[in-house]
């Protein structure tokens, strides 16, 4: 038993030496790890600053794009009819010139009105202003026609009998429906 105690006593300094060595290694590791952590922290802070800068730039870009888009919409509203107005100026000029004629004849007035109508028609076509002019017998389309009366007719029910006033569309949007009379159901 005493041998065991001796062995334990002799092993104690060895165990203490191993523990001291492990503690020294841990201290050395922590000493070398501290600059590593500090380096990681500074690298992370640098990345954070870089990301923050990138975020602020992206935010400023988005704000600039939003502002420019708002200005473009404002300009589009303000100058939306510019093309149509340019096409209408010659029509007005023709009408004013017709009023300045001192001794108009019926033929000259008719010729002037026909020329002015051609200018107006060209202006409408240029700006995609299209007539809605249904033919008698066409199916009544409530999206393009407005029936103001239903009249007895030999035609099929809910068809156009007569057009009282043309309608107009701008591109695919209805500006004014054609005013028509429709056939009464039999």
């Amino acid at each position: 038993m005493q041998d065991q105690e001796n062995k334990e006593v002799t092993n104690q300094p060895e165990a203490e030496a191993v523990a001291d060595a492990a503690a020294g290694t841990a201290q050395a590791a922590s000493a070398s790890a501290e600059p590593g952590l500090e380096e990681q922290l500074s690298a992370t802070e640098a990345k954070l600053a870089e990301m923050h800068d990138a975020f602020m730039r992206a935010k400023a870009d988005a704000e600039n794009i939003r502002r420019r888009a708002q200005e473009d919409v404002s300009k589009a509203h303000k100058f939306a009819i510019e093309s149509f107005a340019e096409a209408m100026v010659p029509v007005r000029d023709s009408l004013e010139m017709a009023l300045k004629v001192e001794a108009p004849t019926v033929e000259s007035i008719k010729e002037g009105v026909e020329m002015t109508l051609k200018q107006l028609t060209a202006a409408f076509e240029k700006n995609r202003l299209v007539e809605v002019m249904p033919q008698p017998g066409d199916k009544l389309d409530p999206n393009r026609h407005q029936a103001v009366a239903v009249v007895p007719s030999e035609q099929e029910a809910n068809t156009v009998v007569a057009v009282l006033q043309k309608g107009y569309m701008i591109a695919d949007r209805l500006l004014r429906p054609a005013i028509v009379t429709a056939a009464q159901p039999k």
Side-chain angles (χ1 to χ4, degrees), residues 34-171:
E34 282 182 25
L37 288 176
E38 287 176 10
E39 289 172 8
Q40 285 179 350
L41 179 61
S42 63
T44 304
E45 286 174 344
K47 274 187 180 178
L48 176 64
E50 183 181 323
M51 296 275 194
H52 180 57
D53 183 53
F55 169 75
M56 293 306 286
R57 288 178 189 272
K59 185 177 176 182
D61 284 346
E63 184 63 27
N64 288 338
I65 289 169
R66 186 194 62 75
R67 184 183 43 78
R68 275 190 230 116
Q70 212 171 24
E71 287 173 3
D72 289 347
V73 168
S74 174
K75 286 179 183 176
H77 283 118
K78 188 175 182 180
F79 301 111
I81 64 165
E82 182 176 12
S83 172
F84 188 66
E86 285 175 356
M88 295 304 292
V89 169
V91 175
R92 181 182 174 125
D93 291 343
S94 294
L95 291 171
E96 287 175 347
M97 285 175 47
L99 291 174
K100 288 181 181 178
V101 174
E102 290 184 23
T105 64
V106 174
E107 287 181 19
S108 67
I109 291 175
K110 184 178 181 195
E111 185 180 325
V113 169
E114 286 173 351
M115 289 174 50
T116 305
L117 182 59
K118 284 181 185 178
Q119 287 177 325
L120 186 61
T121 302
F124 280 13
E125 287 173 0
K126 180 182 176 188
N127 290 283
R128 300 184 305 160
L129 187 62
V130 182
E131 288 182 354
V132 176
M133 184 67 175
Q135 298 300 311
D138 287 352
K139 186 81 175 150
L140 184 68
D141 182 357
N143 296 320
R144 293 177 163 210
H145 311 142
Q146 180 179 352
V148 293
V150 179
V151 295
S153 175
E154 295 298 317
Q155 293 178 193
E156 191 177 318
N158 295 324
T159 57
V160 174
V161 174
V163 178
L164 304 174
Q165 186 179 51
K166 293 185 224 179
Y168 290 94
M169 295 183 72
I170 298 177

Side-chain angles (χ1 to χ4, degrees), residues 13-26:
E14 286 177 22
E16 286 175 10
V18 170
D20 287 343
T25 306

